[in-house]
Amino acid sequence: MQFHQDVTLVILAGGQGSRLGGLEKAWITWQGESIIQRLITAFAPLCNEVVISCNREFARYQALGYKTCQDNPTYQYAGPLAGILAAAPLVKTKYLLLLPCDCPQPPPNLLFKLHAALSKSKATAAYAHDGERDQYLFCLVETMALSTLQPYLESGDRSVRGWLAKGDVIPVDFSESGESFRNINTPKDLEIIQGH
């Protein structure tokens, strides 16, 4: 299945995993494969390029064979927006698809639905809504919107929601596949998801 609508896949893998004792979540194995490899297998074929934004185990991520970046020291571990800012210079396509590294099975139609919604609107970003809550890190963003990111971080703000709200952004309904957004943040999450 091909897509290639001028999209760069940006995988956000720069967290400290503090609630999991420092575990690097991207390398957690689920159904015999690491989360990051699952994301690459599912979404890289649909995109023009892949960028992995990480802070630890840099060489291990580089070994996957894709563009890799680290947070600017000014914003290191300042949250997902720091990871997006680090990736920004490597994105040469019209869009970037954001995916967090702590969710092993995003909906396979994620990119298609986000792109379709964005194409029909004047918005600069479209994010998933799982039927109960907004999933801001499952988001398709027009690359030109990244110009507001550094000033936003320099102001001291760290909220992904707040940054997206600076532009035109639309939610996209994924309530039919809400379970696909289950992520791993705590030991209990890890126990539940590895039981599936």
Side-chain angles (χ1 to χ4, degrees), residues 49-124:
E49 294 189 295
V50 176
V51 175
I52 301 171
S53 184
C54 59
N55 284 310
R56 300 181 297 157
E57 301 187 28
F58 193 74
R60 190 178 184 188
Y61 287 108
Q62 279 187 315
L64 293 170
Y66 299 99
K67 293 179 180 178
T68 312
C69 61
Q70 293 176 291
D71 291 353
N72 180 305
T74 304
Y75 307 113
Q76 193 165 36
Y77 297 119
L81 292 181
I84 299 168
L85 182 64
L90 301 176
V91 178
K92 308 302 181 187
T93 52
K94 181 178 180 180
Y95 303 100
L96 61 152
L97 174 67
L98 298 174
L99 290 181
C101 69
D102 60 359
C103 176
Q105 55 168 1
N109 64 344
L110 179 72
L111 176 55
F112 296 96
K113 284 189 68 172
L114 293 177
H115 185 270
L118 205 53
S119 299
K120 294 174 185 175
S121 75
K122 294 182 180 180
T124 56

Side-chain angles (χ1 to χ4, degrees), residues 178-196:
E179 282 295 306
S180 295
F181 295 95
R182 184 191 296 271
N183 64 355
I184 302 170
N185 276 318
T186 66
K188 184 177 181 180
D189 295 334
L190 182 59
E191 182 181 335
I192 291 171
I193 209 160
Q194 290 191 329
H196 283 66

Side-chain angles (χ1 to χ4, degrees), residues 4-12 35-53 66-69 87 90-101 106 110-111 137-141 143:
H4 301 304
Q5 294 290 325
D6 209 14
V7 180
T8 296
L9 171 61
V10 176
I11 300 175
L12 300 171
I35 292 177
I36 192 161
Q37 191 57 63
R38 291 182 63 84
L39 296 179
I40 289 169
T41 299
F43 291 95
L46 307 177
C47 299
N48 299 73
E49 294 189 295
V50 176
V51 175
I52 301 171
S53 184
Y66 299 99
K67 293 179 180 178
T68 312
C69 61
L90 301 176
V91 178
K92 308 302 181 187
T93 52
K94 181 178 180 180
Y95 303 100
L96 61 152
L97 174 67
L98 298 174
L99 290 181
C101 69
L110 179 72
L111 176 55
L137 290 181
F138 297 84
C139 187
L140 184 66
V141 184
T143 303

